[in-house]
Amino acid sequence: MNPVKAIKGTRDILPPSTSVWNHVEAAARDVFRVYNYQEIRTPIFEETALFVRGVGEDTDVVSKEMYTFEDRDGTSLTLRPEATASVMRAYIEHRLDQIPGVKKYYYIGPMFRRERPQKGRYRQFFQIGAEVMGPPTAGSESPARDAEVLEMLATLLDEVGLRDWSLQLNSVGSADDRARYNKALREALKPVVHLMCPDCQRRAETNPLRVLDCKVPEDQPIIEKLPKISEYLDEGSREHFDQVKKMLDAVGVAYSINERMVRGLDYYTRTTFEFTHGGLGAQSAVLGGGRYDGLSESLDGPKAPGIGFAIGEDRLILALQSQGEEASARIQAFVAPLGAGMNQAALKLARELRRAGITADLGDENFRLKKSFELAEKSGAQHIVIVGENEVNADQFAVKNLASGEQVTVPRAELADFLRK
Ligand code: HAM
């Protein structure tokens, strides 16, 4: 026998840990609601061209990591490696710019990248993301949007219970700023690049910004001496970034500036950020995001500056677990029919309890009392409720607290309230 297994880099998320996932998603939806974000659901696969044009041909994600396949009619399709390009496509396709104001969307779902699997890095992973976009006249370009998004993220991470995260902030400037910076980097790299690692030698040619990502220890002293992006920001970009920082200071969201944080996707302009957590090891970014003022135009859309982020949900959950977050699925009552013919009465009682919001599991009249107790204890139930003939006739039930061992008799009408306490 050769049983079929899940594909490398994918995984089953099983109970009880699914309850942590549910907790995180419910908390995120609550936060999105109070910040007036609405859910958007875009397809899992798109035309390959969307990501090539939106995310950028030279990025690792597009050039190395996409799951691309030919449809039966010859169209090239790709499993989405991220969702920002898809959300922008939907915005353009449905003329959402015609609806007044900035649009605020969120999404929760799987993304696909063919990376080398390791802790916190999978080939199918989940993102909880959000995007704010709209015409500049609606305020989409304002640094207030950036600050609001970052402040919301701080709230969201607090709400899900993540402690000790840190926010790293940078500005990668406008497209013009970056062009000038790239030129300066190329110049500065010329005399030293032969001393650097093979990856850097390649990056210096194709995409010099990526050199700043290099982790090779020997290269670090060279990288430290390279020009800094902040020196190449024009007046507008610098002022925009200053405003973002001032607003964060005003609301008390702590951050540190990391000029070497150049994000891996080509659409970013101006503000970029990552939130990191110490419990994650090498893949320390819980989430990443930034502004993308030219993305719409690169997809032939109207001017629609925007900013957004995506939380790596797998990583957020790892981080929560690293600080001892336990999955908890508490059964409040195990309803145990006792004796032949008691299944009906037990089902009826379980139905009443469940309708009153009590989490209940149900045994079987064929189980002896001892077995019912064993099953109830193994299930982690807080109480066992015995449904025998005497109980049904008296319309009151023997209830035992499985932790304390205390047993009482409770009238049917009071049972749900009793179990809730
Ligand atoms: P990203 O930095 O590529 O940005 O991904 C965001 C987050 O997704 C990462 O910080 C990480 O937590 C998680 N992630 C990425 N790849 C993997 C993987 N292979 N396994 C597990 N988790 C992973 C984006 O995707 C942008 N669309 C974010 C954005 C939205 N920017 C603007 N709007």
Side-chain angles (χ1 to χ4, degrees):
M1 287 294 276
N2 208 354
V4 178
K5 293 201 175 123
I7 293 164
K8 182 176 174 191
T10 73
R11 59 204 186 119
D12 302 304
I13 298 157
L14 303 171
S17 86
T18 37
S19 76
V20 184
W21 288 71
N22 285 330
H23 155 71
V24 163
E25 289 170 18
R29 286 181 199 274
D30 278 348
V31 171
F32 288 135
R33 180 174 50 77
V34 297
Y35 284 81
N36 192 30
Y37 282 73
Q38 287 177 306
E39 185 172 4
I40 185 168
R41 299 191 186 195
T42 62
I44 299 281
F45 56 94
E46 299 264 5
E47 272 195 47
T48 303
L50 173 66
F51 304 112
V52 173
R53 290 169 60 184
V55 176
E57 208 166 358
D58 293 332
T59 60
D60 280 357
V61 169
V62 171
S63 65
K64 298 189 207 152
E65 297 168 1
M66 292 206 302
Y67 282 99
T68 297
F69 57 98
E70 202 173 271
D71 201 357
R72 288 166 191 264
D73 65 1
T75 318
S76 179
L77 303 180
T78 293
L79 299 185
R80 63 181 188 190
E82 62 108 51
T84 310
S86 304
V87 173
M88 188 58 90
R89 178 199 48 68
Y91 175 88
I92 297 167
E93 186 170 334
H94 302 288
R95 302 302 316 264
L96 298 173
D97 60 316
Q98 303 292 304
I99 306 169
V102 288
K103 305 292 140 353
K104 300 162 87 172
Y105 302 116
Y106 78 88
Y107 48 85
I108 301 177
M111 309 291 157
F112 307 85
R113 297 183 193 177
R114 202 175 191 289
E115 296 191 81
R116 198 169 50 75
Q118 63 180 85
K119 182 185 165 202
R121 194 160 76 190
Y122 311 99
R123 291 179 172 177
Q124 172 173 330
F125 58 97
F126 285 78
Q127 286 188 342
I128 300 175
E131 313 291 348
V132 181
M133 52 183 65
T137 50
S140 59
E141 233 168 346
S142 164
R145 301 288 81 72
D146 308 42
E148 196 183 3
V149 161
L150 290 163
E151 184 274 322
M152 175 174 80
L153 277 166
T155 301
L156 201 162
L157 295 180
D158 289 344
E159 286 294 315
V160 300
L162 190 71
R163 297 186 296 267
D164 302 328
W165 46 263
S166 57
L167 162 57
Q168 314 231 4
L169 201 58
N170 193 17
S171 174
V172 296
S174 64
D176 288 347
D177 299 338
R178 259 218 318 286
R180 282 186 287 119
Y181 181 53
N182 258 312
K183 195 160 162 248
L185 267 184
R186 268 184 218 280
E187 287 297 314
L189 281 165
K190 254 185 212 153
V192 289
V193 71
H194 67 280
L195 303 169
M196 303 181 80
C197 72
D199 272 343
C200 280
Q201 302 199 8
R202 185 176 45 79
R203 292 174 183 138
E205 286 295 319
T206 56
N207 192 350
L209 268 181
R210 295 256 76 82
V211 169
L212 304 180
D213 272 345
C214 175
K215 303 271 174 342
V216 175
E218 292 77 22
D219 289 1
Q220 301 312 308
I222 302 176
I223 295 170
E224 290 304 322
K225 291 203 197 75
L226 292 172
K228 301 270 183 294
I229 181 83
S230 56
E231 298 157 14
Y232 291 81
L233 300 183
D234 70 12
E235 190 53 38
S237 297
R238 198 169 318 136
E239 175 62 22
H240 193 276
F241 196 37
D242 281 346
Q243 290 292 331
V244 175
K245 289 185 279 189
K246 281 196 184 121
M247 277 180 274
L248 289 178
D249 294 339
V251 291
V253 172
Y255 56 87
S256 52
I257 303 294
N258 178 357
E259 289 210 50
R260 281 183 57 177
M261 191 189 62
V262 285
R263 308 246 318 123
L265 314 171
D266 275 357
Y267 48 61
Y268 288 116
T269 54
R270 298 190 171 180
T271 312
T272 54
F273 55 85
E274 282 180 3
F275 283 68
T276 56
H277 189 267
L280 284 174
Q283 305 302 318
S284 66
V286 181
L287 69 93
R291 185 165 267 292
Y292 41 83
D293 292 344
L295 174 59
S296 178
E297 288 97 318
S298 74
L299 300 171
D300 293 332
K303 204 167 167 25
I307 181 165
F309 63 85
I311 300 172
E313 194 177 356
D314 307 74
R315 291 190 194 171
L316 176 54
I317 281 161
L318 280 173
L320 287 170
Q321 285 165 344
S322 80
Q323 57 179 45
E325 187 88 2
E326 288 292 326
S328 65
R330 288 298 276 174
I331 299 169
Q332 290 164 295
F334 186 92
V335 179
L338 185 64
M342 297 319 292
N343 268 349
Q344 290 171 29
L347 179 62
K348 190 159 171 273
L349 183 68
R351 175 175 158 93
E352 284 169 21
L353 295 177
R354 288 163 171 164
R355 289 197 165 209
I358 300 297
T359 305
D361 240 340
L362 193 56
D364 192 282
E365 63 187 25
N366 289 326
F367 300 158
R368 290 171 185 281
L369 193 57
K370 185 160 174 274
K371 178 160 179 187
S372 288
F373 267 95
E374 279 169 12
L375 286 173
E377 266 162 24
K378 278 192 196 133
S379 75
Q382 289 164 333
H383 297 92
I384 184 166
V385 181
I386 310 296
V387 184
E389 205 163 338
N390 293 341
E391 280 84 0
V392 173
N393 288 338
D395 214 22
Q396 55 184 20
F397 299 90
V399 181
K400 186 166 183 178
N401 182 320
L402 290 168
S404 69
E406 194 187 340
Q407 182 165 331
V408 287
T409 301
V410 185
R412 179 178 222 118
E414 293 164 25
L415 191 54
D417 278 343
F418 177 85
L419 293 168
R420 222 185 318 271
K421 278 172 205 142

